[in-house]
Amino acid sequence: NTVPISNDITGIVPIPDGIVIFTKSKAYILLGTDPTTFRIILLSPEHGCIEHNSIKVVKNTLLWTSADGVCSLSGSSITVVTKDKLDRKTFNVVSATVYNEQYMLTLDDGSVFIVDVRFDKLIFKLVKYVDADVYNLGVFDNVLYGVVKEQLALIDAGRLIDFYYESPRLTEDDASNTK
């Protein structure tokens, strides 16, 4: 038996409810337990997956990149989670990983776009490393690694840096009463 999909498939991922199938512009779900009960349902006619490397599950939510931005599937509802803050945004994804409930997209310019889902409100971050571009993030044994200057490197190990800042001049009541 075959499942009719009219365009090239760009991604397939199993979820508890079935199998999600993506083309560049559409998302479907395949339901059923055997070929006699299979049925395909169109989830979205406009939010397909443009890069199969972007498909990940974070906190029981499927995330991927479409031509409009980062999308999520929760239940049978697809939402472009980046739309409210970034409008329509296309990401050029090299790879994606999940680390500490954060969806991390390594982009072709060496930066990392992060969707932090740890809290009630989604937080977006764009990280550009000063010393080098980072490619192909991955997690092993709960440690985040990346390829930096063609070598494997610990990404979240951290290092001590000197931090300097200049405090503002604080006044009380008016500018002539310095605290």
Side-chain angles (χ1 to χ4, degrees):
N1 288 342
T2 62
V3 177
I5 301 291
S6 59
N7 294 316
D8 291 340
I9 293 173
T10 57
I12 298 176
V13 62
I15 61 171
D17 296 335
I19 298 173
V20 178
I21 303 168
F22 294 104
T23 67
K24 282 194 184 273
S25 61
K26 296 179 182 179
Y28 302 88
I29 188 164
L30 177 65
L31 303 172
T33 56
D34 62 65
T36 61
T37 61
F38 283 163
R39 62 190 175 126
I40 192 149
I41 297 171
L42 178 65
L43 292 172
S44 173
E46 56 193 21
H47 300 301
C49 177
I50 59 172
E51 179 53 60
H52 73 279
N53 289 336
S54 70
I55 303 169
K56 296 292 176 188
V57 176
V58 185
K59 290 179 70 173
N60 298 319
T61 300
L62 183 63
L63 295 167
W64 70 93
T65 56
S66 76
D68 293 329
V70 175
C71 294
S72 72
L73 173 64
S74 188
S76 62
S77 176
I78 292 178
T79 305
V80 182
V81 298
T82 53
K83 186 175 183 179
D84 288 344
K85 300 287 183 191
L86 303 176
D87 199 22
R88 187 170 187 223
K89 173 81 174 152
T90 302
F91 296 96
N92 296 317
V93 177
V94 173
S95 68
T97 195
V98 175
Y99 177 69
N100 194 22
E101 297 180 343
Q102 297 175 89
Y103 174 68
M104 304 175 129
L105 295 172
T106 308
L107 306 179
D108 67 351
D109 66 355
S111 64
V112 179
F113 182 78
I114 301 168
V115 179
D116 192 337
V117 298
R118 293 178 290 180
F119 312 106
D120 291 336
K121 188 175 182 179
L122 293 177
I123 299 170
F124 305 112
K125 306 171 195 172
L126 182 64
V127 178
K128 180 72 174 162
Y129 294 91
V130 176
D131 294 337
D133 295 337
V134 175
Y135 295 97
N136 296 323
L137 289 175
V139 176
F140 177 73
D141 202 18
N142 206 30
V143 176
L144 182 64
Y145 294 91
V147 177
V148 178
K149 296 182 182 177
E150 300 181 15
Q151 294 183 347
L152 189 62
L154 288 168
I155 299 297
D156 70 339
R159 66 177 189 225
L160 295 177
I161 60 171
D162 293 327
F163 181 71
Y164 300 96
Y165 69 96
E166 186 173 328
S167 177
R169 188 169 201 198
L170 301 176
T171 61
E172 207 170 283
D173 295 331
D174 64 47
S176 63
N177 293 335
T178 303
K179 280 181 132 178

